[in-house]
Amino acid sequence: MAVKDDVEIFKARIDKRDYRRVVLSNSLQVLLISDPVTDKCAASMNVGVGYFSDPAGLEGLAHFLEHMLFYASEKYPVEDSYSKYISEHGGSTNAFTSSEHTNYYFEVNTDGFEEALDRFAQFFTKPLMSPDATMREIKAVDSENKKNLLSDAWRMNQSGHRMLHCISAFLNSGCSGCNCSQNSGHCGSRVRLFAKPIFPSEQPQFSLGVWGNWDTLEVKPKARGLDTREELLKFYDENYSANLMHLVVYTNESLDKIQNLVEEKFQDIINTNKSCFHPCGQPCKSEHLQIVVRTVPIKQGHKLRITWPVTPEIHHYTEGPSRYLGHLIGHEGEGSLYYILKKLGWATSLSAGESDWSLDFAFFSVVIDLTDSGHEHVEDIIGLLFKYIELLQHSGVCEWIFKELSAICETKFHYQDKIPPNDYVVDIASNMQFYPVKDWLTGSSLPFKFSPNVIHMVLGQLSPDNVRIFWVSKNFEGHTDKVEPWYGTGYSLEKITGSVIQVKFPVLLRRSTYSALWYKPDTLFSTPKAYVKIDFNCPYAGSSPEAEVLVHIFTQLLMDYLNDYAYYAQVAGLYYSITHTDGGFQVTLLGYNHKLRILLETIVEKIATFEVKTDRFSVIKEMVTKEYQNMKYQQPYQQAMYYCSLILQDHTWPWIEQLDLLPALQVEDVAKFVPLMLSRTFLEFYIAGNIESHEAESMVKHVENVLFNYSTPLCKPLFSSQHLVNRVVKLKSGMNYFYPSECLNPENENSALLHYIQVGRDDFKLNVKLQLFALVAKQPTFHQLRSVEQLGYITVLLQRNDCGIRGLQFIIQSTEKSPGNIEQRVEAFLKMFETKIYEMTIDEFKSNVNALIDVKLEKHKNLREESSFFWREINDGTLRFDRREHEVEALRQLTLQELIDFFNEYVKVGAARKKTLSVRVHGNRHSSEYKAEVSEPNFARIDNIFTFRRSQSLYGSFKGLSGQMKL
């Protein structure tokens, strides 16, 4: 039974048509339109599944499915009878596939509408996709591709986006609403920027990977053992769900009659409650920005396209920021940019506005058709464009201009001419996926809410740092060095430098015997937020297990005391945490900078005047005790990770000793310990974001005054010998160590292995070899050890970084296999993997190198992420703030032979210099194997972690006299 909707749909003043929104029992949303005077009827079904949902390795499947639905259905099995019926009744039909939806539509004479609608409904209930038709339509799609190979519009769209590698732009960015694994890279393979109509009369809008051809739909799937028809049927069943569909029906009948027709013909569409796929964020990485691409067209002429990734206007459609900016930048009146370019004889047309948008990304583009003279003055034209944008930024957003634009849009909407019913239903069906019900007819055509901040936000994104320039000219023929593989378009690519000089890395702004201040202003995010980290380096805090547990209780009490006050700060967008570390504790603040200092001063004051409250001590002690008691219920693989850290990292204490201490601890122990802990302290600050350097220094001075400069100071500076170092056990070359243990929870049947391969100290060249190997081996590890051998659900290969000491670790948890058995399978895998790495082709090597470069060049998404990256460098003592740039350069110089040499030296089974540590945690099903664990040939058993740790050499610490460090 359909449900009527009482929401009023906003329509034009002169619109005499009647509208009704209904929702069928299968969740299909429908808009009914009654127009008694129309002589044509129409319908459009918008399915919320597009080429972003193409399965990996089957590019073009969504578009191919669009073709196949036109063939036949169980009810109407004669091929092409649908299209024949439409044609015989004075109509037309078409469809197109976009990034996030596929739209089907038809128009027909009124006397043929009911049967046409019935035939149309079969697309979404019981279509026939016969094997014979499948093969013929693959050939048709391939033919469709070939006919456009000499079309400049298609060539420029395909080439421009392939040059930017946008096909892989979402790799490692995660996704929402789809069923893929975020670690699989699947979503990255879906990213295409354009949509596509199936008939040639419409303008081309998308890239080849979305369209598909004989290679992507037949050759490559067959080589992988896939049947395209079976994949087609699976794709249809998995994605064509009623809850993702929006239907518009336009006839001359009453709304009640239309509703009855729709209920009868569309209620059988299956609803699987499928989630709509959305990619996350902008597809452009740093290498896609600040570039100019010179491209050779087929036809004569010159064109310039300047684009910026921007916030999609769909999220601010009532404010219309891109519409406002497009109105000004694309203006053609006196004093406009185009007016100047035309007067100079450099341009014949100019347009500006948002293009290629989805819910998650959009581009603002300025497109200029150039004269021969304009082609010779492109740098001047681009300079004038940025001068004009700068003028807009300085002059501010004008309310009168917005109101004028809003009035024009309103008049145009209310007094618009009728358009053909098929165009009308397509527009509305597309709107239904993105806009609330009341705005289904208007979409984004009626900006009415004046918001200078929103317009300024988008205007700020039109910067030289974000720009991408496409320059198309026949004059480039013979002067390009690259060829786009699908269309054979010649092009060249060049990196350009932004005009804004920014502080890219933290600087050591201030140092004293009390503290060091690392400072990094916000140059990327333009938000009124700041990040503050204070590391309290207190030697007494890490001197014993008892000291460590007392620090833990102290930080929990401190958070408890601040809770009532800080709650209101959190409501206002200010967040903080206080956590214990191996050498003291850390205070972290993040949020709006306006009141951040007040919160910081309150926290420091609470530290300086700390007193233990007996009632709260009892509560916190109980909480901490339970926390330690629950350690034994961790998963075996987590226990293995804990033991590995305990073995490798110097000056770490076992939690079991801390648990044993807890029952005897009293209020007096904490009260005596805190002043002792703080008596010798060094503070390391990291302050970043929307804070001026003098403000940052002022904060540090205030903290120093409170803690160090009172008449009876709470803290004194550290002696030089007391500064924190972080040292890691240096395993002996050629040795394989193993540490066996029983699972702490005797009821857990799972066992786990952590197989660690130590590589060495932080070094750009060594790091990228390790990272590249991990990238190459990650998927084969998962496939062989989990999918094929079924060792266990948790099967991962990860890099490991202990304070700048790099390595690899296989982590596997299994119910069926003992840790020793798993160890044998890991070594067997590495022996098998030798062949893969030895037989790797240069193209495969380069592809993996480029994938890793893409990851490294991805920009930080927010202030927290950027600060975490830089703080890791400070905390480890490595201070490689330009790490990504140097490692990218090292990757570009790396050879396949160097990767093979790395494998042979550090990873290969039996390598002379290889250093391994295996932690084996035995569940109750493998307790007998634990009891039988003895030293084996080529394996040295660790019986006591601390005896072993004291007997080994240590790597030198990167961290030392923090207060004396200098860039």
Side-chain angles (χ1 to χ4, degrees), residues 64 195 214 300 381 455 525 658 727 961:
F64 179 48
W214 183 257
Q300 294 292 333
I381 292 170
I455 296 173
F525 311 109
Q658 295 165 350
R727 304 192 68 184
L961 300 179

Side-chain angles (χ1 to χ4, degrees), residues 381-512:
I381 292 170
I382 294 171
L384 283 171
L385 171 61
F386 277 111
K387 284 290 184 183
Y388 188 75
I389 291 172
E390 186 180 355
L391 175 65
L392 294 179
Q393 291 170 335
H394 288 311
S395 61
V397 179
C398 297
E399 186 173 10
W400 71 267
I401 295 177
F402 180 85
K403 287 183 175 179
E404 183 181 81
L405 177 62
S406 178
I408 293 170
C409 291
E410 184 178 8
T411 301
K412 183 178 180 180
F413 174 77
H414 282 296
Y415 301 101
Q416 60 186 298
D417 293 331
K418 272 189 174 182
I419 61 175
N422 62 339
D423 293 335
Y424 195 54
V425 294
V426 168
D427 288 345
I428 297 172
S430 298
N431 282 348
M432 289 167 73
Q433 184 174 345
F434 299 108
Y435 297 93
V437 176
K438 66 181 180 63
D439 293 328
W440 277 356
L441 305 186
T442 63
S444 59
S445 64
L446 285 180
F448 65 88
K449 188 184 299 182
F450 179 61
S451 177
N453 291 338
V454 171
I455 296 173
H456 267 301
M457 174 191 68
V458 178
L459 181 57
Q461 293 167 351
L462 309 186
S463 76
D465 296 331
N466 290 339
V467 74
R468 309 189 303 156
I469 300 170
F470 296 89
W471 186 3
V472 181
S473 175
K474 193 74 171 175
N475 291 9
F476 295 140
E477 197 161 28
H479 300 283
T480 57
D481 60 352
K482 296 177 177 64
V483 176
E484 193 282 317
W486 291 98
Y487 283 77
T489 307
Y491 73 96
S492 62
L493 188 149
E494 178 184 343
K495 193 76 175 174
I496 56 177
T497 304
S499 60
V500 180
I501 299 173
Q502 299 178 337
V503 179
K504 294 177 64 177
F505 305 121
V507 294
L508 186 57
L509 189 64
R510 181 181 183 272
R511 65 182 178 222
S512 70

